[in-house]
Amino acid sequence: IAAEGRDLRYITIPVSRFRDDLTISDADISAFFAANQDRFTSEESLNIEYVELSIDSYREPVEEERIREEFELVRGEYELAEESRVSHILFEGDDDERAARLAEAQSALASGRDFADAARELSDDIGSADAGGDLGYTAGDTFPEEMEEAIAQLDVGETGAVETDAGTHLLLVTDRREGSSVSFDDVRFELEERLQTADAAASLLIDVERLRDIAFNAADLTEPAEELAVEIQRVESVVRGQSEGLFADPRLVRAAFSEDVLEAGHNSEVIELSPERFVLLRVAQRNPPEPLPLAAVRDEIERELREEQAQAQAREAAFGILEQLAGGESVESAANAAGFDWQLELGARRDSDRLPPSLRERLFALAAPAAGSTVSEVVVDNDTLYVMEMMRVTPGAMDSLSPAELLALRQRLSSDDANLLLQQYETALRADADIQVY
């Protein structure tokens, strides 16, 4: 029952208390190193030769005339045309009806009526009427040609009428934004960079294909490097978990340690690191694991010995206190004598968050103590040990559960029943099924 309660006292023994006070001698470190030399070896590594093709190596100056030609081709991308904001009132119907309604609207506007109010009441364009007839901005290519020509002839604040296939439009230009243009000098650097990059990318891809063809049959990197006039570069001691430099890229490491490259001694395939960077590599030398000197692993050994001894001392302290409790010593006096904190927890529940999880789990795994006695145990949880004494178990009772706990219990039991029925149903289906495999 979820409401079961358990009373306990427990002592907390942090391993850090022992770890911080330890002194590890040089003799201990040396002895550990001598006894475990097979553990302290370098990782297998490779000395690698490679050639790299990068777009930056292909960048060349661009002739001025070509940059100016490019400017003429693309200047429209940089220029903004003049834009006009326009509102309209649309009149539909036959010619006479449209003419009459247009005249009525123009008369109302002449008398001072607001254009937006007139559009809301009179326009047959439902989409723009609610916005007071506003159609937004146009650069001369948004509306039918007749409308655009009329808009271009109107000044801001001026109205005019025009006929289109949709009907009669009474137009009002409400705003006009000037266009903008750029000079050659404004965009010269950008255009030069664009042309330079396009040329370099094309040349790069041609050489990448050449490199693939040459490298496939080449015994090493000498011929590919000479054909493409690139330098053979070298990097030492590349390991599988390389974390620095070019070979921190896992694609290069996988290629270097692949069977075809490492075991067979072939050149790798040309590896694309990005559309602007390609690498071809081969293994120049394989460096097997070697014993490491003591100086290289001294700190690691010291940390391990410190942790090992601290854990051992913490366990010794914990089980020493456990013996004291078995001899009749109280938790309080044993904890105080050793200088550890202790706590009393009454009515601890399975869902209590006041206890460390490992301690709570073990507490509810123990059998209840006999009347008048206690149950004591050491619980180990990474950097902390607990000496626990359970004094009493109070059985749960339905009437002690809160409404929320009762609901949760019913739901859990219902779920358990449903799962059991489902398992039984599936078992019965399997038993009765006639399975054929084709």
Side-chain angles (χ1 to χ4, degrees):
I1 299 296
E4 178 184 272
R6 298 197 170 201
D7 301 341
L8 75 152
R9 298 183 184 90
Y10 66 94
I11 301 170
T12 302
I13 302 175
V15 176
S16 60
R17 169 170 165 175
F18 302 92
R19 185 188 300 123
D20 298 340
D21 295 337
L22 281 171
T23 299
I24 308 300
S25 68
D26 289 339
D28 289 340
I29 294 174
S30 297
F32 187 90
F33 177 72
N36 297 276
Q37 281 195 346
D38 58 330
R39 286 180 48 190
F40 303 111
T41 59
S42 65
E43 186 178 354
E44 179 186 39
S45 66
L46 307 176
N47 297 344
I48 296 174
E49 293 179 343
Y50 68 96
V51 294
E52 179 179 353
L53 300 183
S54 170
I55 194 171
D56 291 337
S57 303
Y58 292 83
R59 295 186 185 278
E60 299 287 348
V62 181
E63 294 180 356
E64 186 75 8
E65 182 181 353
R66 187 173 169 216
I67 300 174
R68 290 187 177 277
E69 290 175 355
E70 183 71 9
F71 175 68
E72 295 301 325
L73 289 173
V74 302
R75 67 188 305 168
E77 298 176 12
Y78 298 93
E79 295 180 347
L80 295 176
E82 180 182 80
E83 292 184 314
S84 301
R85 186 168 189 172
V86 63
S87 296
H88 82 148
I89 302 173
L90 175 65
F91 302 106
E92 298 175 340
D94 59 34
D95 292 348
D96 292 341
E97 183 181 356
R98 295 200 310 274
R101 293 177 64 195
L102 173 62
E104 179 186 354
Q106 289 174 324
S107 176
L109 295 175
S111 300
R113 186 171 187 185
D114 181 68
F115 189 94
D117 288 341
R120 292 186 185 95
E121 179 182 345
L122 303 175
S123 182
D124 292 326
D125 180 4
I126 299 174
S128 68
D130 289 341
D134 183 37
L135 296 174
Y137 284 93
T138 177
D141 54 3
T142 304
F143 306 118
E145 183 178 351
E146 304 93 332
M147 281 185 66
E148 294 290 359
E149 290 176 356
I151 291 168
Q153 295 173 10
L154 295 173
D155 293 329
V156 175
E158 186 179 2
T159 61
V162 64
E163 298 283 341
T164 71
D165 291 342
T168 301
H169 306 261
L170 180 57
L171 305 175
L172 169 67
V173 175
T174 58
D175 186 29
R176 185 160 279 142
R177 297 192 296 215
E178 291 186 4
S180 64
S181 61
V182 295
S183 68
F184 174 74
D185 290 337
D186 290 335
V187 295
R188 184 194 182 287
F189 178 79
E190 180 182 342
L191 294 177
E192 182 180 21
E193 176 73 14
R194 181 192 298 182
L195 291 170
Q196 193 178 70
T197 299
D199 291 347
S203 298
L204 170 64
L205 292 179
I206 290 172
D207 276 1
V208 167
E209 292 306 315
R210 289 177 60 203
L211 181 62
R212 288 189 172 116
D213 291 340
I214 299 167
F216 183 77
N217 294 314
D220 54 27
L221 301 184
T222 303
E223 183 183 354
E226 290 176 351
E227 286 287 333
L228 293 161
V230 294
E231 179 185 354
I232 298 176
Q233 303 183 66
R234 186 180 177 97
V235 61
E236 307 287 327
S237 303
V238 174
V239 297
R240 294 179 187 272
Q242 190 78 9
S243 60
E244 296 180 351
L246 175 65
F247 281 81
D249 191 304
R251 291 169 292 186
L252 297 180
V253 174
R254 282 196 299 270
F257 282 91
S258 68
E259 182 178 352
D260 192 48
V261 176
L262 180 59
E263 304 294 343
H266 297 154
N267 293 334
S268 73
E269 294 182 352
V270 177
I271 302 162
E272 180 178 350
L273 301 183
S274 76
E276 299 180 347
R277 195 178 191 189
F278 298 81
V279 170
L280 170 70
L281 62 87
R282 68 177 297 273
V283 174
Q285 181 176 317
R286 186 174 188 173
N287 306 312
E290 295 181 351
L292 294 171
L294 174 59
V297 296
R298 188 187 188 286
D299 291 344
E300 177 185 345
I301 293 174
E302 182 178 356
R303 286 192 298 271
E304 184 171 339
L305 288 176
R306 185 180 300 277
E307 184 63 26
E308 183 181 291
Q309 293 182 25
Q311 291 281 353
Q313 291 185 16
R315 286 175 177 272
E316 182 180 352
F319 284 97
I321 291 175
L322 190 64
E323 289 183 8
Q324 294 177 38
L325 298 184
E329 190 80 20
S330 71
V331 168
E332 180 179 3
S333 62
N336 291 338
F340 297 119
D341 293 333
W342 72 279
Q343 289 175 265
L344 170 67
E345 188 71 33
L346 299 176
R349 303 270 291 273
R350 292 180 186 271
D351 58 354
S352 172
D353 59 2
R354 294 192 300 270
L355 292 176
S358 58
L359 183 59
R360 184 179 66 238
E361 181 180 347
R362 185 56 190 157
L363 172 67
F364 282 91
L366 294 174
S373 64
T374 61
V375 175
S376 299
E377 191 164 309
V378 173
V379 178
V380 181
D381 184 7
N382 294 326
D383 273 4
T384 307
L385 283 76
Y386 303 99
V387 181
M388 171 182 63
E389 180 185 69
M390 181 171 63
M391 300 98 67
R392 184 183 305 107
V393 174
T394 304
M398 292 292 290
D399 56 7
S400 68
L401 296 176
S402 68
E405 289 171 328
L406 279 171
L407 177 60
L409 180 59
R410 289 192 180 99
Q411 289 174 338
R412 190 179 74 186
L413 293 174
S414 177
S415 176
D416 291 345
D417 289 344
N419 288 333
L420 180 60
L421 288 173
L422 178 60
Q423 291 174 5
Q424 292 175 339
Y425 176 66
E426 290 177 347
T427 300
L429 286 178
R430 291 191 184 96
D432 295 338
D434 182 13
I435 301 175
Q436 297 182 357
V437 179
Y438 294 95

